[in-house]
């Protein structure tokens, strides 16, 4: 019988040690943790092994919420900048590289062009030779010109050319 009592005392001490000696272990919540419960199981007589001690401890449950974060979508790739769709100065421009192919419109000559009008030319190369001209014109009012990729477009004394289609 003495061994049964000793086993119970040892189990009780182990339970108290496991729970922090009866301290709640909380952060000042003022609630004591439940004391361990000691259960001693007696074995039948006749040379049976020593009874086993069972320590049952009640622990407060902590509920945790698991949230799965969705990854941010990859930033959209910026479209590769292409040639501009407007011509704001005099010059010769390679269509498809310096300007976009398409139809451009201008309001006409610049006001300070001394009455010389607005000159434009579609050219097959940048040689400046008369044989390279596909089409050209001197205009005094609004006009449209369609240029194709690979051609050169020349303009002098004109207001801004803006792509319209």
């Amino acid at each position: 019988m003495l061994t049964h009592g000793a086993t119970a005392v040892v189990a009780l001490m182990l339970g108290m040690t496991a729970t922090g000696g009866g301290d709640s272990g909380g952060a000042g919540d003022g609630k004591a943790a439940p004391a361990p419960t000691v259960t001693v199981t007696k074995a039948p007589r006749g040379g049976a092994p020593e009874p086993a001690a069972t320590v049952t401890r009640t622990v407060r449950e902590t509920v945790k919420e698991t949230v799965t974060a969705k990854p941010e979508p990859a930033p959209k790739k910026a479209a590769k900048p292409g040639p501009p769709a407007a011509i704001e100065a005099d010059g010769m421009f390679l269509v498809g590289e310096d300007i976009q192919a398409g139809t451009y419109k201008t309001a006409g000559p610049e006001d300070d062009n001394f009455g010389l009008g607005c000159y434009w030319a579609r050219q097959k190369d940048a040689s400046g030779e008369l044989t390279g001209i596909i089409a050209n014109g001197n205009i005094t009012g609004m006009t449209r010109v369609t240029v194709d990729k690979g051609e050169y477009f020349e303009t002098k004394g004109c207001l801004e050319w803006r792509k319209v289609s």
Side-chain angles (χ1 to χ4, degrees):
M1 254 333 180
L2 184 58
T3 58
H4 298 294
T7 302
V9 170
V10 169
L12 180 62
M13 292 175 81
L14 286 174
M16 290 179 66
T17 303
T19 61
D23 187 18
S24 68
D29 61 2
K31 296 180 184 176
T37 305
V38 178
T39 305
V40 178
T41 307
K42 292 186 180 183
R45 293 185 190 245
E50 289 285 325
T54 304
V55 177
T56 305
R57 187 170 62 146
T58 305
V59 181
R60 282 185 272 168
E61 292 184 29
T62 302
V63 178
K64 293 182 181 179
E65 182 177 332
T66 303
V67 178
T68 304
K70 294 180 182 177
E72 290 186 28
K76 292 182 179 180
K77 292 182 181 179
K80 184 177 177 183
I87 304 167
E88 299 175 357
D90 292 351
M92 186 176 293
F93 305 91
L94 176 57
V95 180
E97 187 174 309
D98 299 328
I99 61 170
Q100 296 177 15
T103 301
Y104 288 79
K105 176 174 125 176
T106 184
E110 296 174 337
D111 290 336
D112 60 351
N113 200 16
F114 307 107
L116 297 176
C118 166
Y119 174 77
W120 64 268
R122 291 176 51 214
Q123 299 188 29
K124 58 183 172 182
D125 58 40
S127 69
E129 300 291 327
L130 290 176
T131 57
I133 296 174
I134 299 168
N136 67 350
N138 282 306
I139 56 168
T140 58
M142 185 194 78
T143 196
R144 293 174 186 250
V145 175
T146 301
V147 292
D148 298 319
K149 185 174 182 177
E151 294 179 350
Y152 286 84
F153 181 69
E154 182 180 7
T155 179
K156 290 182 187 169
C158 303
L159 294 171
E160 178 185 66
W161 291 88
R162 174 80 43 192
K163 185 176 178 198
V164 293
S165 65

